[in-house]
Amino acid sequence: MAVHSKLFTDGELIRNLTENVSVDDSIRFLYRQYFDFLKTFVISNSGDIHDAEDIFQEVIISFISLVKAGKFRGESTVKTFLYSINRNLWLNELKKRGSSQQRELKYEHGKEENDATVGLAIESRETSQRLMAAIGELGETCKKILVLFYFESCSIKEILGAVNYENEQVVRNKKHKCLKKLEETIRSDKVLYQQLKQYVNG
Amino acid sequence: MSMDESLPSNDKIISYLDGLMDGDERSDFEARLRQDPQLQQQLEDARIAVEAVRQFGARERVGALHRELMKELQTEKPEARVINIRRTVRYTMAVAASVLLILVGVQTFNYFHNTPDRLYNDAFVDYSLSLERGVTQNASEIEAEYKRGAYDRIVANVNSLRLTARDSFLTAVSFLKTGQTAEAIHWLLAVDPYSPNYQDAQFYLSLAYLKNKNYKKALDLMTGIHDDPKHPYHANISDALIEKVRKLQ
């Protein structure tokens, strides 16, 4: 069954993700356009289809985070950028798995890139569990309010419709308290703090 | 006036961060920001927290679509392969008998030896809610579905933003029970280390990695559980199991 898919240029993709427009369609486009291309690298370098799927999911998460943090400035194509993230994530995974698979990748070492932006993706994956733990400490309402405001770009009025509070000011106060609580939690985890700091300042 | 009292309130910092200050207020704030390292630090901490939310949001959004898209991409594959099979039918037929013989041989070998699926099935223990508490008025919808064995419905309707830590864990086990190992791993990795189900998640994650043929990660977790006599799944990870998984590497 052919799947109707929207087509986006690189510029449209970046704008969509930055301005939070058609985000789901943009993610679908990235999967349909680039999964087959990127899985080949993983499968031809000691991975299987499940590895390729896991790594691709991380690639897309990292790509969105990097675009939203303004770290992708269109100096390469989206395809090249995704390839670099995919390659670095998979090489890092192989390093963690052990030396036998690493030896098979000797020819790749000469192609290692010192791309700090792509390096952020590796650290982001490494600290993902810490991130989930920090957000998990917030509780469901805080999590919802912060994600709706800072990721989905919803207005306070729209958030009021999604949570059970009296008025917009109460939502606003709650949002401030939630953010403060998250700041404190992240400050207590130095590894996570440093990783996120690189996104903000790096 | 002390240093702290002279600082703008947290509300002002967030208003600046959210772009809600008007021209004069913004200029005043930025002038002060340039001269005040403590204020710079506070603003940076707020930005870091916002970045955490954005990265979490990206994980949630992609995670929610990943399974659907992988299913779609997998169902498209056979159509693409038909053409290749027709083109290469003569060659394919020529080797078919040999491949069949090899497959039969491999199947026979696997039957008598270790396979990840076999080890997984041997080690898997059902996670049951029945011994803990019944489905009460306080039970979540996911707990009720889980108790009924409606795992397909749980994974089909999952919306992670609304889930408690416990529901997230039950969702992870439901993915495992419906054979969606990669998704199960994703959800098990997300189980909060402070959640009461964290040790359950470690056990099921080790099995998920085993099934996914990620033996190194499976062994790391299994060894940790085996070496901890207080771990609730300590008795489920035997020396023999660890040795068998090691041989699969």
Side-chain angles (χ1 to χ4, degrees):
Chain A
M1 182 179 65
V3 178
H4 176 69
S5 178
K6 282 190 182 176
L7 296 175
F8 297 111
T9 64
D10 281 6
E12 285 168 340
L13 269 177
I14 304 308
R15 197 186 61 228
N16 288 351
L17 296 174
T18 308
E19 297 175 6
N20 224 46
V21 178
S22 303
V23 173
D24 284 359
D25 282 341
S26 300
I27 294 171
R28 288 191 176 95
F29 173 80
L30 288 166
Y31 269 74
R32 289 166 187 155
Q33 199 73 8
Y34 299 117
F35 175 66
D36 279 346
F37 169 62
L38 296 188
K39 81 176 181 194
T40 310
F41 179 82
V42 174
I43 291 172
S44 58
N45 285 292
S46 312
D48 60 22
I49 187 68
H50 302 296
D51 294 321
E53 289 178 5
D54 288 349
I55 291 292
F56 187 77
Q57 185 175 4
E58 286 298 324
V59 169
I60 300 303
I61 290 166
S62 297
F63 178 67
I64 295 171
S65 299
L66 290 166
V67 168
K68 279 186 171 287
K71 303 291 178 194
F72 177 74
R73 299 181 182 92
E75 286 149 359
S76 63
T77 62
V78 167
K79 184 176 180 177
T80 308
F81 192 58
L82 292 175
Y83 180 83
S84 296
I85 300 173
N86 185 68
R87 183 176 162 280
N88 280 275
L89 284 176
W90 181 238
L91 291 179
N92 188 58
E93 178 65 26
L94 284 182
K95 276 179 197 165
K96 286 195 293 180
R97 287 188 188 182
S99 58
S100 62
Q101 286 168 316
Q102 240 182 301
R103 277 199 293 276
E104 293 168 28
L105 269 163
K106 269 184 178 171
Y107 72 96
E108 279 288 351
H109 290 176
K111 291 196 266 176
E112 290 275 5
E113 294 164 19
N114 288 318
D115 187 333
T117 304
V118 172
L120 283 176
I122 293 175
E123 291 186 39
S124 175
R125 189 180 189 217
E126 301 284 314
T127 54
S128 63
Q129 206 162 337
R130 292 169 181 271
L131 175 72
M132 302 306 266
I135 300 280
E137 279 190 30
L138 287 175
E140 290 306 306
T141 307
C142 269
K143 189 160 68 176
K144 185 183 270 186
I145 290 173
L146 292 179
V147 170
L148 288 174
F149 189 84
Y150 288 113
F151 183 77
E152 307 279 354
S153 303
C154 292
S155 66
I156 294 291
K157 190 175 181 180
E158 287 169 319
I159 296 172
L160 180 61
V163 293
N164 192 23
Y165 284 116
E166 298 83 51
N167 56 49
E168 291 181 30
Q169 190 54 49
V170 178
V171 176
R172 205 169 285 118
N173 293 343
K174 180 74 177 170
K175 178 178 88 65
H176 289 195
K177 279 183 188 169
C178 295
L179 195 65
K180 194 74 191 162
K181 184 179 174 191
L182 183 58
E183 280 178 45
E184 286 162 10
T185 307
I186 293 171
R187 259 202 308 272
S188 67
D189 184 337
K190 284 179 185 166
V191 175
L192 179 62
Y193 183 88
Q194 287 302 327
Q195 187 267 320
L196 293 166
K197 191 174 173 179
Q198 289 183 66
Y199 268 84
V200 171
N201 298 330
Chain B
M1 189 180 281
S2 74
M3 178 73 96
D4 282 345
E5 283 168 344
S6 69
L7 281 171
S9 69
N10 186 49
D11 286 359
K12 280 200 172 178
I13 293 167
I14 294 175
S15 290
Y16 176 75
L17 187 66
D18 293 349
L20 299 175
M21 283 185 174
D22 62 22
D24 287 345
E25 196 180 7
R26 187 179 180 85
S27 300
D28 291 347
F29 185 89
E30 286 176 344
R32 183 158 187 182
L33 192 61
R34 282 191 288 274
Q35 297 168 355
D36 189 338
Q38 199 176 347
L39 183 57
Q40 288 165 16
Q41 183 63 55
Q42 283 183 305
L43 182 63
E44 184 180 56
D45 285 355
R47 282 194 167 128
I48 284 170
V50 169
E51 179 56 35
V53 175
R54 288 192 177 133
Q55 289 194 14
F56 174 79
R59 284 194 175 275
E60 290 280 296
R61 186 66 79 88
V62 175
L65 291 171
H66 179 77
R67 189 169 47 86
E68 166 205 321
L69 286 160
M70 281 304 155
K71 203 175 280 180
E72 172 196 310
L73 291 170
Q74 281 161 12
T75 53
E76 284 183 339
K77 279 178 210 159
E79 291 177 23
R81 280 181 185 159
V82 171
I83 298 163
N84 291 333
I85 288 166
R86 282 179 183 164
R87 280 181 187 166
T88 59
V89 67
R90 282 176 299 165
Y91 307 105
T92 309
M93 290 299 287
V95 296
S98 310
V99 171
L100 189 62
L101 276 174
I102 291 166
L103 283 174
V104 169
V106 168
Q107 290 295 324
T108 310
F109 179 87
N110 284 343
Y111 182 79
F112 292 108
H113 293 79
N114 292 337
T115 66
D117 282 346
R118 202 167 169 210
L119 292 181
Y120 170 90
N121 289 334
D122 288 347
F124 190 87
V125 287
D126 198 10
Y127 185 82
S128 172
L129 292 173
S130 56
L131 294 176
E132 299 173 35
R133 54 174 166 167
V135 178
T136 65
Q137 282 183 323
N138 295 327
S140 72
E141 197 177 327
I142 287 180
E143 278 183 71
E145 297 275 35
Y146 189 94
K147 182 107 196 256
R148 281 195 289 273
Y151 311 118
D152 282 325
R153 206 176 308 164
I154 291 174
V155 300
N157 297 319
V158 66
N159 179 343
S160 52
L161 260 187
R162 295 183 191 143
L163 297 189
T164 62
R166 180 171 182 74
D167 282 350
S168 294
F169 169 70
L170 293 177
T171 301
V173 179
S174 299
F175 273 116
L176 205 51
K177 287 187 170 204
T178 52
Q180 297 174 71
T181 320
E183 274 300 307
I185 289 172
H186 171 77
W187 281 82
L188 287 165
L189 282 171
V191 171
D192 188 338
Y194 301 103
S195 144
N197 289 114
Y198 184 62
Q199 289 181 309
D200 301 307
Q202 283 183 314
F203 173 70
Y204 287 104
L205 186 58
S206 74
L207 295 185
Y209 278 138
L210 168 62
K211 195 165 187 182
N212 224 14
K213 300 179 183 173
N214 193 336
Y215 306 123
K216 170 76 169 56
K217 285 187 176 177
L219 273 174
D220 285 348
L221 284 164
M222 285 177 174
T223 308
I225 295 168
H226 178 268
D227 292 346
D228 178 2
K230 289 181 182 167
H231 197 289
Y233 290 86
H234 171 72
N236 297 84
I237 306 291
S238 62
D239 287 326
L241 174 62
I242 289 177
E243 193 49 38
K244 283 176 183 173
V245 177
R246 214 165 257 150
K247 282 180 182 166
L248 286 172
Q249 280 186 302

